[in-house]
Amino acid sequence: MNARVITVIIAFCTGVSGVVLANMFLIMIIGEINRKRPDGNLESYFGYTLPKMLRIFREYRRLYPSGKLRIYFRAAFALAIISAVVSFVCLATIAIERRGILP
């Protein structure tokens, strides 16, 4: 096995772990927000759009100014993005290498 292939496998597994962690932290954030809201005005756990995400983070920051879940979510999401970029770059170099463009 090539070192790049091993790097792709490790980066992919790290990226998937980052996405799972980010989703877990987001579910925990929604649970914390719903704990403070009345029963008729709860935030849904389904359907993640950008306006909803911004509203969730704004509400969490307002209710829990020193809350760490938002930071943990961003760190896990950054880990997933960085891992995806690393795996895409390694896959591109492997594809270019196979075509004989790079030595």
Side-chain angles (χ1 to χ4, degrees):
M1 267 199 170
N2 192 351
R4 286 190 184 115
V5 173
I6 295 171
T7 305
V8 167
I9 293 170
I10 292 171
F12 180 77
C13 292
T14 306
V16 169
S17 299
V19 168
V20 169
L21 280 173
N23 192 29
M24 182 184 69
F25 289 131
L26 185 62
I27 289 172
M28 291 168 68
I29 288 171
I30 293 173
E32 293 290 325
I33 291 171
N34 284 342
R35 185 175 298 145
K36 298 276 185 168
R37 285 185 169 186
D39 284 337
N41 193 18
L42 298 180
E43 194 69 51
S44 173
Y45 288 99
F46 300 108
Y48 298 114
T49 61
L50 183 61
K52 180 180 177 182
M53 298 291 289
L54 295 175
R55 186 176 62 243
I56 287 170
F57 287 130
R58 194 177 316 117
E59 182 82 13
Y60 182 76
R61 192 178 316 127
R62 186 181 63 80
L63 292 173
Y64 302 98
S66 62
K68 300 289 185 193
L69 290 176
R70 183 174 41 101
I71 296 168
Y72 299 154
F73 170 81
R74 288 184 178 173
F77 191 72
L79 175 71
I81 295 298
I82 290 169
S83 298
V85 168
V86 168
S87 62
F88 291 147
V89 167
C90 288
L91 282 173
T93 56
I94 289 170
I96 290 171
E97 233 177 37
R98 297 212 181 210
R99 290 188 179 163
I101 300 171
L102 286 179

